[in-house]
Amino acid sequence: MAEIFNGIGKIPYEGPKSKNPLAFKYYDAEKVVAGKPMREHLPFAMAWWHNLCAGGADMFGRETADKGFGAEKGTMEHAHAKVEAGFEFMQKLGIEYFCFHDVDIVPEADDINETNRRLDEITDHILEKMNETGIKCLWGTANMFSNPRFMNGAGSSNSADVFCFAAAQVKKALDLTVKLGGKGYVFWGGREGYETLLNTDVKFEQENIARLMKLAVDYGRGIGFTGDFFIEPKPKEPMKHQYDFDAATAIGFLRQYGLEKDFKMNIEANHATLAGHTFQHDLRISAMNGMLGSIDANTGDLLLGWDTDEFPYDVYDTTMCMYEVLKAGGLENGGFNFDAKNRRPSYTDEDMFQGFILGMDTFALGLLKAAALIEDGRIDGFIKERYASYESGIGAKIRSGDVTLTELADYAAEMKTPALPGSGRQEYLESVVNSVLFG
Ligand code: XUL
Ligand code: CO
């Protein structure tokens, strides 16, 4: 197959002083940080949908980028051209994983039987390229939000026929994920939510989503899927209210329906901020519940209230992300999937590479700085000290559970009034972070 990205070679690491736009400044795959090479800390993935499908169309204008890759769009020839383009792109960047929805990899037919035939054909091609290059599948998923049949949701649809169609898509997407050796399977409930409570039975809808997930787990385990199922929380957009609002909500849902052993979180930076949290917050909530699974690496724009899926550029954010990931001991079956797209006016082939170079360098910097923050020890030391009153005496008794409310009240009565708790020292800690970032 002829080269698609002509004139762009393998992206080298040239170091922070390099001014070469087509070189990494910080991502040095084999450099050892905190005991292992960067590439092991940062299993990056390419999102098929943004990188190979999206051409920059928005609500106000059509596509600006040509993602035809020499073929006519909407054809199987185009689907095959995308496979060639995708693998060439990943190889040139040293990206080791990809993620896909069923409808990213083939044009959907009117008849699901024909769609499934196309999916079998294209995954044969993808598998061939995987064997040739060593590139792997991070996770697969079914798109259950674009087609009009899913206007009221998939698992949460009011139509039992649509529920069956969703089940069929999940079944096929699981078959494909297993065929490609994917480490995860994602549920992003784009339309699993509501526009108005006036027409919605929330309890029924949530029970039905859980039923679909349970059926998926049973089927997946039955066909040998040993990886993780992931929920990707997002509070809104496209629906006004989405049930998987944030990590805390999704974890509660999983526990309520007995799904917590098979599922973890896939945390997307921009989704966390749409929920009114920092990216770090949703990572922390997932990690402390043993459910930090994978990451959709992108960023939003604080001046805009929607899901802009930008390539990550904010080193402060990626430092805090990598701080959580390092503390959690890494991502077992997960990775850093660039669920990100170029801005509409960045429409050239080179821009596609620039997006990934920016994202990979920003995460590499985040990793370096997070490791330095942990090594520095002032933040960890401060937190340990902050809770020191629970290490001995009455505090230790409280922690052990070996105390009654009356005993505590008696203790308080003897004290008469407690000393003020120690200062939170937020400004000092923020300056510690600055000194590690820029010192
Ligand atoms: C949408 C989004 C999805 C999921 C996969 O906001 O993030 O692309 O990552 O369905
Ligand atoms: Co995502």
Side-chain angles (χ1 to χ4, degrees), residues 91-115:
Q91 270 194 299
K92 286 183 167 172
L93 279 154
I95 297 268
E96 292 183 46
Y97 292 92
F98 63 89
C99 300
F100 71 99
H101 301 83
D102 44 4
V103 304
D104 303 338
I105 56 176
V106 294
E108 196 178 2
D110 290 337
D111 174 346
I112 189 171
N113 298 294
E114 169 58 13
T115 305

PDB file of all heavy atoms in Angstrom, residues 91-115:
ATOM      1  N   GLN A  91       2.149   4.000  13.692  1.00  0.00           N
ATOM      2  CA  GLN A  91       3.561   3.570  13.629  1.00  0.00           C
ATOM      3  C   GLN A  91       4.502   4.759  13.631  1.00  0.00           C
ATOM      4  O   GLN A  91       5.531   4.756  14.294  1.00  0.00           O
ATOM      5  CB  GLN A  91       3.781   2.763  12.350  1.00  0.00           C
ATOM      6  CG  GLN A  91       3.532   1.290  12.529  1.00  0.00           C
ATOM      7  CD  GLN A  91       4.077   0.518  11.356  1.00  0.00           C
ATOM      8  OE1 GLN A  91       3.633   0.736  10.224  1.00  0.00           O
ATOM      9  NE2 GLN A  91       5.029  -0.374  11.595  1.00  0.00           N
ATOM     10  N   LYS A  92       4.126   5.783  12.889  1.00  0.00           N
ATOM     11  CA  LYS A  92       5.008   6.956  12.789  1.00  0.00           C
ATOM     12  C   LYS A  92       5.125   7.680  14.127  1.00  0.00           C
ATOM     13  O   LYS A  92       6.130   8.318  14.415  1.00  0.00           O
ATOM     14  CB  LYS A  92       4.512   7.904  11.684  1.00  0.00           C
ATOM     15  CG  LYS A  92       4.811   7.341  10.297  1.00  0.00           C
ATOM     16  CD  LYS A  92       4.415   8.251   9.155  1.00  0.00           C
ATOM     17  CE  LYS A  92       5.046   7.743   7.859  1.00  0.00           C
ATOM     18  NZ  LYS A  92       4.572   8.462   6.680  1.00  0.00           N
ATOM     19  N   LEU A  93       4.080   7.582  14.952  1.00  0.00           N
ATOM     20  CA  LEU A  93       4.113   8.265  16.252  1.00  0.00           C
ATOM     21  C   LEU A  93       4.574   7.361  17.395  1.00  0.00           C
ATOM     22  O   LEU A  93       4.801   7.828  18.505  1.00  0.00           O
ATOM     23  CB  LEU A  93       2.722   8.807  16.587  1.00  0.00           C
ATOM     24  CG  LEU A  93       2.387  10.133  15.906  1.00  0.00           C
ATOM     25  CD1 LEU A  93       0.887  10.283  15.744  1.00  0.00           C
ATOM     26  CD2 LEU A  93       2.946  11.315  16.685  1.00  0.00           C
ATOM     27  N   GLY A  94       4.667   6.069  17.117  1.00  0.00           N
ATOM     28  CA  GLY A  94       4.992   5.148  18.206  1.00  0.00           C
ATOM     29  C   GLY A  94       3.816   4.948  19.152  1.00  0.00           C
ATOM     30  O   GLY A  94       3.990   4.694  20.342  1.00  0.00           O
ATOM     31  N   ILE A  95       2.576   5.056  18.609  1.00  0.00           N
ATOM     32  CA  ILE A  95       1.366   4.784  19.400  1.00  0.00           C
ATOM     33  C   ILE A  95       1.120   3.276  19.362  1.00  0.00           C
ATOM     34  O   ILE A  95       1.094   2.682  18.280  1.00  0.00           O
ATOM     35  CB  ILE A  95       0.144   5.498  18.764  1.00  0.00           C
ATOM     36  CG1 ILE A  95       0.346   7.002  18.784  1.00  0.00           C
ATOM     37  CG2 ILE A  95      -1.156   5.075  19.429  1.00  0.00           C
ATOM     38  CD1 ILE A  95      -0.197   7.709  19.961  1.00  0.00           C
ATOM     39  N   GLU A  96       0.915   2.683  20.521  1.00  0.00           N
ATOM     40  CA  GLU A  96       0.849   1.213  20.560  1.00  0.00           C
ATOM     41  C   GLU A  96      -0.558   0.637  20.623  1.00  0.00           C
ATOM     42  O   GLU A  96      -0.738  -0.572  20.588  1.00  0.00           O
ATOM     43  CB  GLU A  96       1.667   0.701  21.746  1.00  0.00           C
ATOM     44  CG  GLU A  96       3.158   0.947  21.554  1.00  0.00           C
ATOM     45  CD  GLU A  96       4.008   0.389  22.682  1.00  0.00           C
ATOM     46  OE1 GLU A  96       3.786  -0.758  23.093  1.00  0.00           O
ATOM     47  OE2 GLU A  96       4.877   1.128  23.168  1.00  0.00           O
ATOM     48  N   TYR A  97      -1.577   1.492  20.784  1.00  0.00           N
ATOM     49  CA  TYR A  97      -2.956   0.995  20.925  1.00  0.00           C
ATOM     50  C   TYR A  97      -3.939   1.852  20.117  1.00  0.00           C
ATOM     51  O   TYR A  97      -3.663   3.011  19.813  1.00  0.00           O
ATOM     52  CB  TYR A  97      -3.394   1.054  22.392  1.00  0.00           C
ATOM     53  CG  TYR A  97      -2.672   0.090  23.293  1.00  0.00           C
ATOM     54  CD1 TYR A  97      -1.509   0.489  23.963  1.00  0.00           C
ATOM     55  CD2 TYR A  97      -3.135  -1.209  23.475  1.00  0.00           C
ATOM     56  CE1 TYR A  97      -0.829  -0.402  24.796  1.00  0.00           C
ATOM     57  CE2 TYR A  97      -2.467  -2.095  24.306  1.00  0.00           C
ATOM     58  CZ  TYR A  97      -1.326  -1.686  24.968  1.00  0.00           C
ATOM     59  OH  TYR A  97      -0.656  -2.551  25.781  1.00  0.00           O
ATOM     60  N   PHE A  98      -5.103   1.256  19.855  1.00  0.00           N
ATOM     61  CA  PHE A  98      -6.204   2.034  19.275  1.00  0.00           C
ATOM     62  C   PHE A  98      -7.507   1.638  19.966  1.00  0.00           C
ATOM     63  O   PHE A  98      -7.596   0.582  20.606  1.00  0.00           O
ATOM     64  CB  PHE A  98      -6.332   1.792  17.752  1.00  0.00           C
ATOM     65  CG  PHE A  98      -6.661   0.374  17.385  1.00  0.00           C
ATOM     66  CD1 PHE A  98      -7.976  -0.063  17.278  1.00  0.00           C
ATOM     67  CD2 PHE A  98      -5.643  -0.549  17.161  1.00  0.00           C
ATOM     68  CE1 PHE A  98      -8.278  -1.389  16.972  1.00  0.00           C
ATOM     69  CE2 PHE A  98      -5.933  -1.882  16.856  1.00  0.00           C
ATOM     70  CZ  PHE A  98      -7.247  -2.295  16.755  1.00  0.00           C
ATOM     71  N   CYS A  99      -8.516   2.521  19.854  1.00  0.00           N
ATOM     72  CA  CYS A  99      -9.855   2.264  20.378  1.00  0.00           C
ATOM     73  C   CYS A  99     -10.848   2.519  19.246  1.00  0.00           C
ATOM     74  O   CYS A  99     -10.602   3.366  18.387  1.00  0.00           O
ATOM     75  CB  CYS A  99     -10.175   3.213  21.532  1.00  0.00           C
ATOM     76  SG  CYS A  99      -9.033   3.079  22.919  1.00  0.00           S
ATOM     77  N   PHE A 100     -11.954   1.807  19.260  1.00  0.00           N
ATOM     78  CA  PHE A 100     -12.907   1.964  18.146  1.00  0.00           C
ATOM     79  C   PHE A 100     -14.346   1.738  18.597  1.00  0.00           C
ATOM     80  O   PHE A 100     -14.610   1.013  19.555  1.00  0.00           O
ATOM     81  CB  PHE A 100     -12.578   0.971  17.019  1.00  0.00           C
ATOM     82  CG  PHE A 100     -12.891  -0.471  17.379  1.00  0.00           C
ATOM     83  CD1 PHE A 100     -14.073  -1.064  16.935  1.00  0.00           C
ATOM     84  CD2 PHE A 100     -12.039  -1.216  18.168  1.00  0.00           C
ATOM     85  CE1 PHE A 100     -14.395  -2.387  17.278  1.00  0.00           C
ATOM     86  CE2 PHE A 100     -12.344  -2.537  18.523  1.00  0.00           C
ATOM     87  CZ  PHE A 100     -13.518  -3.117  18.088  1.00  0.00           C
ATOM     88  N   HIS A 101     -15.288   2.375  17.873  1.00  0.00           N
ATOM     89  CA  HIS A 101     -16.714   2.001  17.911  1.00  0.00           C
ATOM     90  C   HIS A 101     -16.961   1.163  16.656  1.00  0.00           C
ATOM     91  O   HIS A 101     -16.304   1.378  15.625  1.00  0.00           O
ATOM     92  CB  HIS A 101     -17.657   3.198  17.782  1.00  0.00           C
ATOM     93  CG  HIS A 101     -17.520   4.266  18.818  1.00  0.00           C
ATOM     94  ND1 HIS A 101     -16.587   5.266  18.743  1.00  0.00           N
ATOM     95  CD2 HIS A 101     -18.254   4.522  19.928  1.00  0.00           C
ATOM     96  CE1 HIS A 101     -16.741   6.080  19.776  1.00  0.00           C
ATOM     97  NE2 HIS A 101     -17.729   5.652  20.514  1.00  0.00           N
ATOM     98  N   ASP A 102     -17.985   0.312  16.705  1.00  0.00           N
ATOM     99  CA  ASP A 102     -18.348  -0.480  15.516  1.00  0.00           C
ATOM    100  C   ASP A 102     -18.481   0.399  14.264  1.00  0.00           C
ATOM    101  O   ASP A 102     -17.879   0.126  13.226  1.00  0.00           O
ATOM    102  CB  ASP A 102     -19.631  -1.292  15.777  1.00  0.00           C
ATOM    103  CG  ASP A 102     -20.747  -0.503  16.483  1.00  0.00           C
ATOM    104  OD1 ASP A 102     -20.580   0.723  16.720  1.00  0.00           O
ATOM    105  OD2 ASP A 102     -21.795  -1.108  16.787  1.00  0.00           O
ATOM    106  N   VAL A 103     -19.235   1.498  14.383  1.00  0.00           N
ATOM    107  CA  VAL A 103     -19.511   2.282  13.171  1.00  0.00           C
ATOM    108  C   VAL A 103     -18.362   3.203  12.754  1.00  0.00           C
ATOM    109  O   VAL A 103     -18.455   3.863  11.713  1.00  0.00           O
ATOM    110  CB  VAL A 103     -20.814   3.111  13.293  1.00  0.00           C
ATOM    111  CG1 VAL A 103     -21.992   2.216  13.620  1.00  0.00           C
ATOM    112  CG2 VAL A 103     -20.669   4.220  14.320  1.00  0.00           C
ATOM    113  N   ASP A 104     -17.273   3.227  13.537  1.00  0.00           N
ATOM    114  CA  ASP A 104     -16.089   3.979  13.081  1.00  0.00           C
ATOM    115  C   ASP A 104     -15.354   3.207  11.990  1.00  0.00           C
ATOM    116  O   ASP A 104     -14.663   3.790  11.166  1.00  0.00           O
ATOM    117  CB  ASP A 104     -15.043   4.144  14.202  1.00  0.00           C
ATOM    118  CG  ASP A 104     -15.575   4.820  15.431  1.00  0.00           C
ATOM    119  OD1 ASP A 104     -16.572   5.534  15.321  1.00  0.00           O
ATOM    120  OD2 ASP A 104     -14.963   4.622  16.508  1.00  0.00           O
ATOM    121  N   ILE A 105     -15.459   1.879  12.069  1.00  0.00           N
ATOM    122  CA  ILE A 105     -14.570   1.080  11.221  1.00  0.00           C
ATOM    123  C   ILE A 105     -15.234   0.632   9.920  1.00  0.00           C
ATOM    124  O   ILE A 105     -14.538   0.266   8.980  1.00  0.00           O
ATOM    125  CB  ILE A 105     -13.945  -0.121  12.004  1.00  0.00           C
ATOM    126  CG1 ILE A 105     -15.013  -1.020  12.637  1.00  0.00           C
ATOM    127  CG2 ILE A 105     -12.997   0.378  13.089  1.00  0.00           C
ATOM    128  CD1 ILE A 105     -14.431  -2.277  13.340  1.00  0.00           C
ATOM    129  N   VAL A 106     -16.576   0.674   9.876  1.00  0.00           N
ATOM    130  CA  VAL A 106     -17.278   0.402   8.599  1.00  0.00           C
ATOM    131  C   VAL A 106     -18.477   1.338   8.476  1.00  0.00           C
ATOM    132  O   VAL A 106     -19.026   1.771   9.485  1.00  0.00           O
ATOM    133  CB  VAL A 106     -17.826  -1.055   8.506  1.00  0.00           C
ATOM    134  CG1 VAL A 106     -16.713  -2.069   8.472  1.00  0.00           C
ATOM    135  CG2 VAL A 106     -18.829  -1.361   9.615  1.00  0.00           C
ATOM    136  N   PRO A 107     -18.910   1.600   7.236  1.00  0.00           N
ATOM    137  CA  PRO A 107     -20.177   2.334   7.095  1.00  0.00           C
ATOM    138  C   PRO A 107     -21.325   1.395   7.477  1.00  0.00           C
ATOM    139  O   PRO A 107     -21.338   0.229   7.082  1.00  0.00           O
ATOM    140  CB  PRO A 107     -20.217   2.695   5.606  1.00  0.00           C
ATOM    141  CG  PRO A 107     -19.238   1.791   4.931  1.00  0.00           C
ATOM    142  CD  PRO A 107     -18.259   1.294   5.957  1.00  0.00           C
ATOM    143  N   GLU A 108     -22.264   1.891   8.278  1.00  0.00           N
ATOM    144  CA  GLU A 108     -23.374   1.053   8.720  1.00  0.00           C
ATOM    145  C   GLU A 108     -24.345   0.822   7.562  1.00  0.00           C
ATOM    146  O   GLU A 108     -24.700   1.758   6.845  1.00  0.00           O
ATOM    147  CB  GLU A 108     -24.084   1.752   9.889  1.00  0.00           C
ATOM    148  CG  GLU A 108     -24.976   0.808  10.659  1.00  0.00           C
ATOM    149  CD  GLU A 108     -25.656   1.483  11.848  1.00  0.00           C
ATOM    150  OE1 GLU A 108     -25.481   2.693  12.065  1.00  0.00           O
ATOM    151  OE2 GLU A 108     -26.393   0.757  12.550  1.00  0.00           O
ATOM    152  N   ALA A 109     -24.781  -0.435   7.376  1.00  0.00           N
ATOM    153  CA  ALA A 109     -25.754  -0.754   6.321  1.00  0.00           C
ATOM    154  C   ALA A 109     -27.168  -0.659   6.895  1.00  0.00           C
ATOM    155  O   ALA A 109     -27.344  -0.554   8.105  1.00  0.00           O
ATOM    156  CB  ALA A 109     -25.490  -2.157   5.799  1.00  0.00           C
ATOM    157  N   ASP A 110     -28.188  -0.757   6.014  1.00  0.00           N
ATOM    158  CA  ASP A 110     -29.574  -0.719   6.500  1.00  0.00           C
ATOM    159  C   ASP A 110     -29.923  -1.985   7.280  1.00  0.00           C
ATOM    160  O   ASP A 110     -30.801  -1.979   8.132  1.00  0.00           O
ATOM    161  CB  ASP A 110     -30.555  -0.580   5.327  1.00  0.00           C
ATOM    162  CG  ASP A 110     -30.452   0.804   4.712  1.00  0.00           C
ATOM    163  OD1 ASP A 110     -30.003   1.725   5.427  1.00  0.00           O
ATOM    164  OD2 ASP A 110     -30.793   0.950   3.520  1.00  0.00           O
ATOM    165  N   ASP A 111     -29.236  -3.066   6.934  1.00  0.00           N
ATOM    166  CA  ASP A 111     -29.530  -4.378   7.534  1.00  0.00           C
ATOM    167  C   ASP A 111     -28.351  -4.765   8.431  1.00  0.00           C
ATOM    168  O   ASP A 111     -27.198  -4.792   7.976  1.00  0.00           O
ATOM    169  CB  ASP A 111     -29.714  -5.370   6.370  1.00  0.00           C
ATOM    170  CG  ASP A 111     -29.893  -6.810   6.834  1.00  0.00           C
ATOM    171  OD1 ASP A 111     -29.610  -7.112   8.012  1.00  0.00           O
ATOM    172  OD2 ASP A 111     -30.306  -7.629   5.984  1.00  0.00           O
ATOM    173  N   ILE A 112     -28.628  -5.088   9.670  1.00  0.00           N
ATOM    174  CA  ILE A 112     -27.553  -5.394  10.627  1.00  0.00           C
ATOM    175  C   ILE A 112     -26.715  -6.605  10.172  1.00  0.00           C
ATOM    176  O   ILE A 112     -25.518  -6.693  10.474  1.00  0.00           O
ATOM    177  CB  ILE A 112     -28.109  -5.607  12.057  1.00  0.00           C
ATOM    178  CG1 ILE A 112     -26.950  -5.688  13.058  1.00  0.00           C
ATOM    179  CG2 ILE A 112     -29.015  -6.820  12.155  1.00  0.00           C
ATOM    180  CD1 ILE A 112     -27.358  -5.689  14.504  1.00  0.00           C
ATOM    181  N   ASN A 113     -27.334  -7.508   9.424  1.00  0.00           N
ATOM    182  CA  ASN A 113     -26.569  -8.677   8.963  1.00  0.00           C
ATOM    183  C   ASN A 113     -25.453  -8.254   8.019  1.00  0.00           C
ATOM    184  O   ASN A 113     -24.344  -8.778   8.066  1.00  0.00           O
ATOM    185  CB  ASN A 113     -27.501  -9.688   8.286  1.00  0.00           C
ATOM    186  CG  ASN A 113     -28.543 -10.196   9.261  1.00  0.00           C
ATOM    187  OD1 ASN A 113     -28.215 -10.873  10.224  1.00  0.00           O
ATOM    188  ND2 ASN A 113     -29.794  -9.818   9.033  1.00  0.00           N
ATOM    189  N   GLU A 114     -25.770  -7.272   7.153  1.00  0.00           N
ATOM    190  CA  GLU A 114     -24.757  -6.767   6.225  1.00  0.00           C
ATOM    191  C   GLU A 114     -23.710  -5.954   7.001  1.00  0.00           C
ATOM    192  O   GLU A 114     -22.508  -6.054   6.735  1.00  0.00           O
ATOM    193  CB  GLU A 114     -25.426  -5.923   5.122  1.00  0.00           C
ATOM    194  CG  GLU A 114     -24.473  -5.120   4.234  1.00  0.00           C
ATOM    195  CD  GLU A 114     -23.406  -5.950   3.495  1.00  0.00           C
ATOM    196  OE1 GLU A 114     -23.502  -7.194   3.451  1.00  0.00           O
ATOM    197  OE2 GLU A 114     -22.438  -5.329   2.983  1.00  0.00           O
ATOM    198  N   THR A 115     -24.142  -5.153   7.985  1.00  0.00           N
ATOM    199  CA  THR A 115     -23.167  -4.408   8.799  1.00  0.00           C
ATOM    200  C   THR A 115     -22.198  -5.390   9.454  1.00  0.00           C
ATOM    201  O   THR A 115     -20.976  -5.177   9.447  1.00  0.00           O
ATOM    202  CB  THR A 115     -23.878  -3.574   9.887  1.00  0.00           C
ATOM    203  OG1 THR A 115     -24.845  -2.740   9.262  1.00  0.00           O
ATOM    204  CG2 THR A 115     -22.894  -2.712  10.657  1.00  0.00           C
TER     205      THR A 115
END
